[in-house]
Amino acid sequence: MRNLVLAAAISGLALAGCTPQAEETIDVNTAPAFAPAVVDTSADINEADMRYRISTLADDGFEGRAPATPGGIAASQWIADEMARVGLEPGYEGSYFQPVSLLEVTLDAAHSDYDVFFNGEPLDLSMGEDIVYWTKLNQPEVSVASSDLVFVGYGVVAPEYGWNDYEGVDVAGKTVVMLINDPGYANPESGLFNGNAMTYYGRWTYKYEEAARQGAAAVILIHQTEPASYGWNVITGSWSGSQLDLARAPGDGTFAGVESWVTEDVARHLFELSGLDFNTLTASAAQPGFAAVPMTGLSSAGTLHNTTQTLQSRNVVGVVRGTQRPDEYVLYTGHWDHLGSRDVPPGEDGIYNGAVDNATGTAAILEIGQAFAANPPERSVMIIAVTAEESGLLGSAYYGEHPIVPYGQTVGGINIDAILPAGRARDLIVIGYGASELEDVLREEAAGQDRTLVPDQNPQAGYFYRSDHISLAKHGVPMLYAEGGSELVEGGREAAEAAGIDYRDHRYHAPADEYSADWEMDGMLDDVTLFYNVGSRLANSDAWPNWYEGNEFRALRDAQRGN
């Protein structure tokens, strides 16, 4: 969840999503463990229907909607039943379910070791305190042997920015060391990349993937709080324990053998041991023409022992067929999963209901789907409730790798990820502001609600790359991610900030994220109506929006459209 009202307030919480604790895994084809009562709903977007859908999804009966658990299976079945009830057609090979297999890799930390060596002597880096490491390879044992360290700056290959940190260096079998974020962050006035606003190249996900494409055996990412926008505690919380990824055959996927983070203090010590000046080199890494630097005398080695299991989950997909151009699609996405439940002492609440995150977004796409089903547009509309967002955007990543609709036939989309019930707003926060021509449509429709568009207040944190829409954007599809506002009609900016802080401090990723009949719904209904109007504009036109010139995904879209 990356609630837009909270963009400045929550900073980097749940950077990779919280992996749900392991619960009983069941066959997705078994009967649902919980089947709530069905309530009639109408085709107009209204408060009663939204309340019904949010309260149902946040019901204790779904046990926090963790993927591959009885509650998660039941929740996804209920969503499919809702799609069928309101007139959406099955969206995947005659079914409402697109199967998603997940691989859980659990490091046996007690019997694993990974360290950096100087002239053959181990530095004895402490797991959790100095370094956090893991593997996503589907193998019971992964080894790295005497792999020389190379500092590759930001670890970026970005042709559209004329940047290649790997140019002239062969890192096959080596351990690459790199900085978080991108060169624009270090030089916001230089015109490099997107200035202070993080690009996709600044994300840790990209950096690990690119290092693997370059043939690296291991990756060490240097943690620095400000450019990362989260503290070391987030690293230890997000990357220790079990790691989930899409299930792949052994050898498939783009992964180095070992992925890791080290603290800035450790990094500075490594540079010093190698006779390098940390401040000088990191400043140089943000300048054009930077060349990778061998870290003489340093190598990494270790063996990781893992247990693995495959979990079964599913995206839920429904379609409204277009009346004139049914092969062209407008998408709506939102994740249905949350964190499940935990064992707690008697009398305590151990169910993470996820009412805001993301029963609201799932209810919204169902509401929008019903509105389109009652009045089919010229183009088709696909509603996708994705799984395993809280485990690293995995359901949407699976769709990204296995699209139901070819990307050349996908017009664009809107992702809805957690709408705070904070009242009506005078504006709309657009995460990744200035990304695509979808914002032109959004701006015109928002004006009809007397609202303006404003960018998120913390662009360097890269929130645009932290929710499910990025899985489609990476393949060239223009996507919108916007909701809420920074200034409420009643109470202004102070009220908006207070609502965000209250949610962050008391309910975010906690059992207290529950539905309440006291929720203020007017602002939420404004947002859902606005998103429907934007999609309706697209679905009843022949427009093909693109990313703005200079955006990192523009070339992909141009290729899709033959531009």
Side-chain angles (χ1 to χ4, degrees), residues 138-188:
N138 186 7
Q139 298 174 18
E141 181 178 299
V142 175
S143 293
V144 173
S146 191
S147 173
D148 292 340
L149 268 60
V150 181
F151 177 59
V152 294
Y154 286 91
V156 168
V157 178
E160 67 272 35
Y161 295 118
W163 201 277
N164 186 352
D165 284 323
Y166 291 96
E167 186 172 5
V169 61
D170 182 2
V171 298
K174 297 181 180 179
T175 297
V176 292
V177 180
M178 64 186 72
L179 299 164
I180 191 63
N181 216 305
D182 62 44
Y185 174 84
N187 290 297

Side-chain angles (χ1 to χ4, degrees), residues 188-233:
E189 306 302 325
S190 67
L192 295 173
F193 288 70
N194 199 23
N196 196 41
M198 183 189 287
T199 66
Y200 178 61
Y201 299 111
R203 291 286 289 141
W204 56 268
T205 49
Y206 164 80
K207 293 173 184 290
Y208 289 131
E209 291 168 1
E210 185 59 47
R213 283 191 287 268
Q214 298 289 332
V219 188
I220 296 176
L221 198 53
I222 299 169
H223 174 264
Q224 293 174 292
T225 297
E226 290 192 8
S229 82
Y230 39 80
W232 182 251
N233 63 307

Side-chain angles (χ1 to χ4, degrees), residues 323-505:
T323 58
Q324 297 183 28
R325 294 182 297 283
D327 293 335
E328 299 173 3
Y329 286 78
V330 174
L331 307 186
Y332 285 90
T333 61
H335 73 92
W336 61 257
D337 66 297
H338 199 54
L339 302 178
S341 61
R342 307 289 187 268
D343 292 330
V344 295
E348 292 187 17
D349 184 3
I351 297 176
Y352 290 68
N353 303 82
V356 169
D357 181 18
N358 185 34
T360 57
T362 306
I365 63 175
L366 288 171
E367 192 83 355
I368 289 168
Q370 183 171 7
F372 277 117
N375 186 24
E378 297 173 9
R379 286 167 157 162
S380 295
V381 174
M382 179 173 285
I383 306 296
I384 313 173
V386 296
T387 185
E389 187 271 354
E390 301 289 5
S391 303
L393 316 181
L394 298 181
S396 61
Y398 185 86
Y399 184 94
E401 294 182 15
H402 305 88
I404 298 171
V405 177
Y407 290 127
Q409 296 170 217
T410 305
V411 178
I414 298 172
N415 181 52
I416 307 178
D417 187 358
I419 311 174
L420 201 65
R424 283 200 159 110
R426 300 186 187 278
D427 54 19
L428 185 75
I429 300 174
V430 179
I431 297 298
Y433 183 84
S436 83
E437 294 167 354
L438 289 175
E439 293 174 31
D440 301 335
V441 181
L442 181 66
R443 183 176 292 104
E444 293 175 7
E445 293 297 328
Q449 294 182 344
D450 295 323
R451 300 170 75 181
T452 58
L453 305 188
V454 297
D456 60 287
Q457 305 302 299
N458 192 17
Q460 63 271 25
Y463 288 108
F464 185 75
Y465 309 102
R466 299 188 186 186
S467 193
D468 288 305
H469 59 278
I470 189 58
S471 297
L472 288 98
K474 285 166 58 176
H475 293 277
V477 178
M479 296 291 294
L480 273 176
Y481 180 28
E483 64 190 9
S486 67
E487 182 180 357
L488 299 185
V489 172
E490 296 186 8
R493 294 185 179 277
E494 183 176 337
E497 182 178 358
I501 292 173
D502 178 67
Y503 177 71
R504 176 200 68 187
D505 289 349

